[in-house]
Amino acid sequence: MDWDEWIEVDNHYLRFHEDKSRRLAERGSKCVKVYPDPKVYDATLELLEELTGYLTERYPSMFKRTDVGLDNLLTNETFDTRSDHLTINGIKESPMQLSARLIQDDLAIMFERPDGQYYLLAGAILLAGFWRLEDKFGMPLSDIHTSGDVPGFKAKLEKGMMSFFRRVKPESPVLRNNYFIQVDDELGWSPSIGSEDAQDGIGWNTAAKNKAIEHHYFRSERQSLRRLPRSGGVVFTIRTYFHPVVEICREPYVPGRLASAVRSWGEDVARYKGRERYGDVLLEYLDRKHEEQVKDGLDVELEEEVRSYPW
């Protein structure tokens, strides 16, 4: 990852900001957690310091550096990021919560413990859609993935991921992306899979089957990973992109590519992503839109030349 691509800001910023502010007011203690350890707290301070420096240099028309921190010129919020102050518009908040208010991303920090595992010990997870910080907080990396039934984790991913985490360096951040289909328009939590406050029973089995295509949304997470230089924690930024399927299918090649991808899922991945609840309607629509694009002159042979990730 190029360093100037660490945090992405776009024209949906205010929607994300409003959703985060509302969820902090309603569910802050469930969505923002920090393990009671001085080293972990120091990492949350370090993250806030890093964001303060980065945002004011990368987006100077939006974030202005001040003697005590920074101002968000778009939202008229003043942040005092000094470790002995830590306020927004004069109101005291934790450094993890202040960081969450600055950007569109969710945030998580993991630390290695003597057993060699990396543990989720700090997080501000406000717009995850399908998972809750309170369910994963304090867990090692392997348990986070197995508790979420991530397909193939034990057999194919665990050993490589552990090795990868140990190699992450402050000067060598990396990016990864994933994607899901969602059948409602709620960015913070998808009610289609159940209540956010349910004790159990959350899953695709509760979602209405084959809703109209207008209810289908493409959800992609852009995740960056880097090691914080002072504390040594590995920080995730998790930026969600959330668009109606009917909107992204106006782009050349997208209907055909997405249909091919959805059909390529093995049974375990299809079950994990909930294809059984929406696959019939989604694939019928994608196939129809792909045929329309081909009839209108789309040259399938040129796809690799003209497309640009992620669309």
Side-chain angles (χ1 to χ4, degrees), residues 70-111:
L70 77 163
D71 291 343
N72 186 326
L73 303 178
L74 186 61
T75 62
N76 296 314
E77 293 170 324
T78 295
F79 292 78
D80 188 329
T81 61
R82 294 174 295 175
S83 61
D84 55 347
H85 289 73
L86 298 172
T87 62
I88 173 174
N89 292 344
I91 300 172
K92 190 82 171 175
E93 283 197 350
S94 72
M96 205 68 194
Q97 206 158 299
L98 292 174
S99 291
R101 291 187 185 277
L102 286 170
I103 57 178
Q104 290 165 261
D105 309 56
D106 282 332
L107 296 163
I109 309 177
M110 306 196 75
F111 282 89

Side-chain angles (χ1 to χ4, degrees), residues 31-307:
C31 297
V32 181
K33 293 183 177 294
V34 178
Y35 190 78
D37 180 317
K39 183 177 181 180
V40 177
Y41 182 74
D42 182 60
T44 68
L45 285 174
E46 184 180 14
L47 175 58
L48 181 59
E49 293 165 9
E50 294 270 327
L51 286 171
T52 298
Y54 180 91
L55 294 171
T56 52
E57 292 185 18
R58 180 67 178 83
Y59 301 104
S61 65
M62 185 172 170
F63 298 97
K64 178 183 177 183
R65 192 72 185 251
T66 67
D67 292 339
V68 300
L70 77 163
D71 291 343
N72 186 326
L73 303 178
L74 186 61
T75 62
N76 296 314
E77 293 170 324
T78 295
F79 292 78
D80 188 329
T81 61
R82 294 174 295 175
S83 61
D84 55 347
H85 289 73
L86 298 172
T87 62
I88 173 174
N89 292 344
I91 300 172
K92 190 82 171 175
E93 283 197 350
S94 72
M96 205 68 194
Q97 206 158 299
L98 292 174
S99 291
R101 291 187 185 277
L102 286 170
I103 57 178
Q104 290 165 261
D105 309 56
D106 282 332
L107 296 163
I109 309 177
M110 306 196 75
F111 282 89
E112 187 175 13
R113 283 182 165 173
D115 62 2
Q117 285 263 29
Y118 274 81
Y119 287 76
L120 175 53
L121 299 183
I125 305 297
L126 295 157
L127 305 176
F130 296 107
W131 66 281
R132 304 174 296 195
L133 178 62
E134 56 188 326
D135 295 334
K136 311 289 187 183
F137 186 70
M139 282 187 178
L141 189 66
S142 56
D143 288 356
I144 288 172
H145 287 84
T146 54
S147 67
D149 296 323
V150 175
F153 180 77
K154 278 288 183 185
K156 301 177 183 178
L157 302 175
E158 184 175 25
K159 185 177 180 181
M161 187 173 289
M162 295 304 301
S163 176
F164 170 78
F165 262 71
R166 295 188 187 102
R167 295 196 309 270
V168 173
K169 296 179 181 179
E171 68 274 15
S172 304
V174 297
L175 287 172
R176 69 179 295 271
N177 291 77
N178 61 25
Y179 71 97
F180 301 89
I181 301 297
Q182 187 172 321
V183 290
D184 56 68
D185 63 354
E186 293 295 327
L187 178 61
W189 174 263
S190 173
S192 296
I193 66 167
S195 167
E196 190 171 4
D197 292 311
Q199 294 301 307
D200 49 38
I202 292 173
W204 275 104
N205 58 298
T206 66
K209 188 169 182 179
N210 291 331
K211 293 172 72 173
I213 192 63
E214 287 76 17
H215 296 285
H216 291 57
Y217 284 74
F218 180 83
R219 184 181 188 111
S220 178
E221 291 177 346
R222 173 191 184 269
Q223 301 176 358
S224 78
L225 293 85
R226 67 179 292 254
R227 190 176 300 279
L228 294 169
R230 186 176 73 227
S231 64
V234 175
V235 61
F236 276 80
T237 65
I238 308 164
R239 171 63 197 284
T240 298
Y241 292 85
F242 191 58
H243 298 281
V245 166
V246 294
E247 179 183 295
I248 68 169
C249 282
R250 299 185 189 121
E251 297 286 340
Y253 300 104
V254 166
R257 291 179 62 197
L258 186 54
S260 176
V262 171
R263 286 191 170 99
S264 75
W265 299 343
E267 284 305 310
D268 54 348
V269 174
R271 187 166 50 253
Y272 176 68
K273 292 180 181 279
R275 186 175 65 189
E276 189 269 338
R277 310 310 292 176
Y278 55 76
D280 294 342
V281 169
L282 177 66
L283 289 169
E284 186 279 329
Y285 179 80
L286 295 176
D287 290 343
R288 175 158 47 87
K289 288 299 173 181
H290 176 67
E291 290 172 9
E292 289 175 6
Q293 288 187 355
V294 172
K295 287 179 181 176
D296 289 340
L298 185 79
D299 189 341
V300 178
E301 298 299 319
L302 294 179
E303 179 180 357
E304 295 295 332
E305 277 183 46
V306 303
R307 77 184 191 188

